[in-house]
Amino acid sequence: MATVIFCNIAWMEYYMGITDSDKPHNGGSWVGESNDAMESRNFQPYQDNCYGYVQQKGYTLKLERLDKTAAKADVLDDVTVVWVAKGEEGSRIVGWYEKAEMYRECQEFDDGSCYYFITKAINAYLIPVKKRDFRMPRASQAGKGRGMGQSNVWYADSDYAKSEYIPQVLEYLKKLENTVAITGLSNEDNGDICKHFK
């Protein structure tokens, strides 16, 4: 089974930078006050890659939660990153990375922004808003180990997550692969995004 991690980020339509018509929201107090979010470019290809950020307390990710042999590793390969955000109808899966590298420490760009995940742009799928219909449970309601808790990162390493929830998610993503193109945009949506950023 794939190595899967769930990351909660602010809600946006395209995640290709902040524009007048696409601003991050439901991303916590800092996002609300600053109208900014480092994850705002999670699906904007740069040199054929996509770079993913999630706000994490302590600024480190626990690779060993996904792979016990990675306790001393700085990077973990071949990770499926499922991006989750809260929209008007609750928390939904908004996209995912396949075959991603996951770093323990945030990797910085020259401009001070940083990322925890990197994948080829052809392995990054952004789900159009109208197709974001897979609900993400919250542990406070579903129970411990059955959804995301207060942290923005859920390692989904409970028996329930491994045996039941993750297989459901992977089946859902597999069905979507045929309806989305590079960085999750269908041909129709690709036309829209070009108009959006002109």
Side-chain angles (χ1 to χ4, degrees):
M1 186 174 66
T3 301
V4 180
I5 188 170
F6 295 84
C7 296
N8 185 70
I9 56 178
W11 179 277
M12 294 184 70
E13 186 169 0
Y14 295 113
Y15 297 94
M16 291 192 177
I18 298 172
T19 67
D20 289 340
S21 59
D22 193 21
K23 296 180 180 180
H25 57 279
N26 295 338
S29 58
W30 190 84
V31 172
E33 294 168 3
S34 66
N35 292 317
D36 195 6
M38 208 173 293
E39 61 264 35
S40 66
R41 297 185 182 274
N42 277 10
F43 286 90
Q44 185 174 48
Y46 175 67
Q47 295 182 343
D48 296 326
N49 294 319
C50 282
Y51 298 82
Y53 175 82
V54 60
Q55 179 66 45
Q56 173 63 5
K57 292 181 179 179
Y59 303 103
T60 60
L61 297 180
K62 299 177 181 178
L63 277 58
E64 60 273 13
R65 291 281 299 271
L66 299 181
D67 184 344
K68 293 181 180 178
T69 66
K72 297 182 179 180
D74 295 322
V75 61
L76 188 62
D77 294 326
D78 201 15
V79 177
T80 297
V81 187
V82 180
W83 301 103
V84 178
K86 184 179 180 182
E88 294 180 358
E89 299 181 5
S91 295
R92 303 296 180 96
I93 293 176
V94 299
W96 75 99
Y97 287 0
E98 291 181 354
K99 301 177 182 177
E101 291 182 350
M102 170 180 168
Y103 291 88
R104 185 179 299 277
E105 305 288 342
C106 208
Q107 306 297 298
E108 288 196 17
F109 287 110
D110 291 339
D111 65 359
S113 62
C114 67
Y115 61 93
Y116 287 103
F117 306 95
I118 179 175
T119 192
K120 292 293 184 184
I122 58 173
N123 295 324
Y125 298 86
L126 177 64
I127 303 171
V129 171
K130 61 187 176 183
K131 295 182 180 180
R132 295 176 186 175
D133 54 11
F134 197 101
R135 293 182 179 276
M136 182 69 202
R138 292 287 168 173
S140 58
Q141 297 176 334
K144 186 178 180 180
R146 290 176 170 266
M148 297 201 74
Q150 293 182 341
S151 173
N152 284 327
V153 175
W154 183 37
Y155 296 93
D157 51 0
S158 66
D159 290 339
Y160 165 79
K162 291 178 179 179
S163 64
E164 296 187 44
Y165 189 71
I166 289 178
Q168 292 175 24
V169 170
L170 293 177
E171 182 179 359
Y172 167 73
L173 300 183
K174 189 64 177 178
K175 290 179 180 178
L176 278 181
E177 271 186 343
N178 295 325
T179 66
V180 294
I182 294 174
T183 65
L185 300 173
S186 67
N187 290 334
E188 179 183 353
D189 292 317
N190 269 318
D192 290 341
I193 194 75
C194 289
K195 296 176 184 176
H196 181 75
F197 283 99
K198 280 184 178 179

